[in-house]
Amino acid sequence: MEKKFKGTYFISSIAFTSSIIEFGISSIFTLFLLYVLHFSFPLVSKTFANYYGFTYFLPIIIGYLSDKFLSKTDTLAIGFISTILSQFILAYAASLYQPSNIIYDNYVFTFQSIIFFIGLFFLALGTGLTTLSITHMIFSINDKNSTMHAFSIYYPILNIGVMVGPILMSVFVGTNNYNLYSLIFLLFGFISIVGLIVFFLLKNKYLVDNEDNLMEDKRPLNNITPNFNNLLSKISSKSIFEIKQMSLRKKLVLFNNSMSIIERDRITAFLLFLLIIIFYRVAYAQFNIGMVFFLDLSVDRKFLSFELPVQLFFILNPIFILLLSPLFIKFNNVLDKRNIEFGFINRTITAFFIMTFCFLMLSVLGYFLDMNALPLDKISFIWILIFEMFVALSELFFSISGYSLVGLLAPEKYYQLFFGLFTATRAAGMYFSGLLSILFPAERKMLSDLSFSFNIPTNGLMAYFLIFVILNLISVTILIVYKDNIKRKMHLDEIK
């Protein structure tokens, strides 16, 4: 362990326990809806869109409230408690499992499904709070020059948890043993308890910055409204009394008129960047929904005499991230030594191109599956290994640069709100990805059932995966065209 980054390693280990739960559950979320609650494919897609859209939009509200009322430690503690509560509620919902041949095309709120969605609400709350607080702590204990390195440490450790969660799901549940889900939820609850206890026992020893100073963790003394009013009184000729009587719209107009060009530029660049990366998020979210359908229906998962559970494939992404991370860190060090600039925007463009290649590969595989007259034919899972390796490489470029960008552009006091906006791009990505997954061909078609345009099937697997190729190409083209303008508006040279 690098002593300089002792605090980063510590808080990353706490993130590890949280990610076990978050990604362990996401690995069976679609399967739970399909085979425990007996939802149809379209209803599963709709539920995925609504839930994960809500889950990753929630940090905007959470960020505002935590900035206003909570310290970083308070935010993390409430997040863990909410996660613990969610696991015991989900365990109870899973214990009500009953096999059934009934398939629901619309929501029918049974007692089991109501309990399940209550558990999901507390899980969403806990996930939002813990993610915001942990990333905020990392920025608090690292300066501008060490932020990229800190997240290069954080992200691999986080992905160990991303890997362990699906492994635990596979070991405890296996394939088609849906009656055992309650046990794994209980185990996740106890893991959360251990993570919370470890944090409070060791935080005063290990949660330190790179100079061994304990992280500052004061609760905000004033809420946002008085601060905003005081700010307006300093930058305008109006009194506090006059400002208090103004509507929010007039306050925002006054604030906008008083901002410097640099401040306006940074906000504009930040929002434009967020808008573009939503399309990357849409493609990436397919690994939780469309790819689950694909693995379940079109991939030969037999290894020797065993059939690998679908949820086990969720460990591939974190495994490849762990394998590629040392190379990625070395790559960053080489760039630093040679003074080669390869910043946020160029890294994001690279991530887009790699993701485009990944879905182009799936489109080609989909073409051969579509054109095969035998619907039961499946592709080897080796193709999924290759696919996930490139996805992991894309994610390394995208996520680490994204986290660093938010930290550099966001004011310290309102960091969690800005990070909430960044996380909200994942909400939009999850939501639209879920809606698009309704188009997934849930039943393999015979050749005679396919529709063609220019000898290309338009209602099969190829057409479905080409949607994400086109979305990524459009997005990366926009980013390339406007990258110089966005970079100029960030004014990164002005940040101290």
Side-chain angles (χ1 to χ4, degrees):
M1 179 188 298
E2 299 173 69
K3 187 175 181 180
K4 179 180 178 182
F5 292 96
K6 180 169 64 175
T8 299
Y9 278 102
F10 171 71
I11 196 60
S12 297
S13 68
I14 302 302
F16 158 77
T17 63
S18 178
S19 65
I20 290 176
I21 289 86
E22 179 183 355
F23 291 93
I25 291 175
S26 69
S27 72
I28 56 94
F29 183 81
T30 299
L31 299 174
F32 195 101
L33 296 176
L34 280 172
Y35 302 118
V36 178
L37 298 184
H38 310 293
F39 287 4
S40 65
F41 274 88
L43 188 57
V44 168
S45 297
K46 181 180 178 181
T47 304
F48 178 93
N50 292 334
Y51 173 69
Y52 278 105
F54 167 76
T55 298
Y56 292 106
F57 180 79
L58 191 61
I60 294 180
I61 301 172
I62 292 175
Y64 170 79
L65 294 176
S66 58
D67 278 332
K68 186 174 180 180
F69 296 113
L70 303 174
S71 68
K72 303 178 191 73
T73 298
D74 293 337
T75 303
L76 185 138
I78 296 173
F80 263 89
I81 291 171
S82 180
T83 300
I84 292 165
L85 181 60
S86 74
Q87 296 312 293
F88 291 108
I89 295 173
L90 291 174
Y92 178 60
S95 70
L96 302 175
Y97 166 71
Q98 292 292 334
S100 174
N101 293 323
I102 300 174
I103 303 297
Y104 296 106
D105 292 316
N106 296 294
Y107 289 117
V108 176
F109 290 103
T110 63
F111 180 70
Q112 182 188 29
S113 64
I114 291 173
I115 296 298
F116 179 71
F117 285 120
I118 291 174
L120 288 183
F121 171 79
F122 282 103
L123 178 63
L125 183 63
T127 299
L129 286 167
T130 52
T131 301
L132 287 170
S133 59
I134 287 171
T135 55
H136 196 184
M137 289 178 188
I138 290 175
F139 277 113
S140 296
I141 60 178
N142 290 280
D143 56 29
K144 174 187 172 182
N145 295 327
S146 63
T147 298
M148 187 73 77
H149 193 148
F151 275 104
S152 296
I153 294 170
Y154 162 78
Y155 212 64
I157 295 175
L158 179 77
N159 275 276
I160 296 175
V162 175
M163 179 177 61
V164 170
I167 289 176
L168 290 176
M169 277 291 181
S170 299
V171 170
F172 277 79
V173 177
T175 304
N176 303 327
N177 298 318
Y178 309 114
N179 57 309
L180 298 179
Y181 279 156
S182 58
L183 294 179
I184 197 67
F185 288 135
L186 289 174
L187 175 61
F188 284 169
F190 287 115
I191 290 174
S192 294
I193 292 173
V194 171
L196 184 60
I197 291 174
V198 170
F199 174 75
F200 276 101
L201 287 178
L202 300 178
K203 70 182 182 70
N204 289 334
K205 181 177 181 180
Y206 291 107
L207 193 53
V208 296
D209 63 20
N210 294 338
E211 296 179 355
D212 233 20
N213 298 313
L214 190 65
M215 181 192 74
E216 186 175 338
D217 190 36
K218 295 180 181 178
R219 181 177 302 187
L221 299 177
N222 301 301
N223 66 32
I224 289 175
T225 301
N227 282 344
F228 190 45
N229 290 341
N230 287 330
L231 173 64
L232 291 177
S233 68
K234 293 177 181 178
I235 60 180
S236 70
S237 58
K238 298 183 181 296
S239 67
I240 286 287
F241 177 79
E242 289 176 301
I243 291 172
K244 286 182 177 180
Q245 307 307 312
M246 296 171 68
S247 65
L248 177 60
R249 185 183 65 82
K250 290 183 178 180
K251 287 181 180 181
L252 292 176
V253 170
L254 180 61
F255 178 68
N256 181 63
N257 292 337
S258 65
M259 283 194 299
S260 69
I261 294 176
I262 290 179
E263 290 169 333
R264 290 181 186 176
D265 281 352
R266 283 180 181 159
I267 292 175
T268 301
F270 184 69
L271 294 179
L272 182 58
F273 191 79
L274 294 187
L275 184 62
I276 292 172
I277 65 174
I278 285 174
F279 295 98
Y280 180 91
R281 300 285 203 186
V282 169
Y284 188 79
Q286 279 298 297
F287 309 132
N288 295 93
I289 182 75
M291 285 301 295
V292 174
F293 296 157
F294 188 63
L295 285 164
D296 195 32
L297 299 174
S298 301
V299 177
D300 183 0
R301 293 178 278 115
K302 290 183 180 179
F303 178 69
L304 300 177
S305 59
F306 301 98
E307 183 178 22
L308 302 175
V310 171
Q311 62 265 25
L312 191 61
F313 283 82
F314 278 73
I315 73 171
L316 294 176
N317 184 262
I319 285 177
F320 282 122
I321 285 178
L322 291 172
L323 292 175
L324 294 172
S325 289
L327 297 177
F328 192 78
I329 293 173
K330 187 175 182 179
F331 171 73
N332 289 333
N333 291 336
V334 170
L335 293 179
D336 290 340
K337 288 180 180 178
R338 298 185 180 182
N339 293 319
I340 299 174
E341 183 181 355
F342 192 60
F344 308 109
I345 297 178
N346 287 331
R347 289 171 186 263
T348 304
I349 290 172
T350 303
F352 266 111
F353 276 123
I354 297 173
M355 186 66 75
T356 302
F357 168 77
C358 290
F359 277 94
L360 187 61
M361 182 178 71
L362 286 183
S363 300
V364 174
L365 293 173
Y367 175 79
F368 287 105
L369 288 170
D370 289 337
M371 299 303 287
N372 196 316
L374 298 175
L376 295 181
D377 280 2
K378 298 182 178 182
I379 65 168
S380 169
F381 69 83
I382 300 299
W383 288 106
I384 305 301
L385 295 179
I386 298 171
F387 174 79
E388 289 286 359
M389 181 183 69
F390 282 103
V391 168
L393 182 61
S394 173
E395 186 183 355
L396 280 170
F397 277 107
F398 175 83
S399 296
I400 294 177
S401 61
Y403 286 143
S404 301
L405 176 65
V406 176
L408 289 174
L409 295 184
E412 165 65 19
K413 184 171 184 180
Y414 304 126
Y415 164 79
Q416 297 193 77
L417 178 58
F418 270 65
F419 189 80
L421 290 171
F422 177 70
T423 308
T425 62
R426 191 172 182 183
M430 289 285 196
Y431 179 77
F432 290 117
S433 190
L435 294 183
L436 286 173
S437 66
I438 294 174
L439 302 175
F440 186 90
E443 296 182 359
R444 291 279 302 281
K445 299 178 183 294
M446 297 293 290
L447 190 61
S448 58
D449 295 328
L450 291 170
S451 301
F452 289 86
S453 178
F454 300 104
N455 204 33
I456 296 175
T458 57
N459 59 340
L461 289 168
M462 179 184 183
Y464 179 75
F465 290 125
L466 276 177
I467 293 172
F468 303 98
V469 173
I470 294 170
L471 284 177
N472 276 269
L473 284 177
I474 293 173
S475 303
V476 75
T477 300
I478 294 173
L479 189 54
I480 290 172
V481 170
Y482 289 101
K483 73 171 185 176
D484 290 337
N485 190 35
I486 293 174
K487 184 177 179 181
R488 185 169 57 253
K489 287 182 177 295
M490 287 180 179
H491 297 280
L492 295 178
D493 293 337
E494 306 288 337
I495 297 175
K496 296 180 180 181

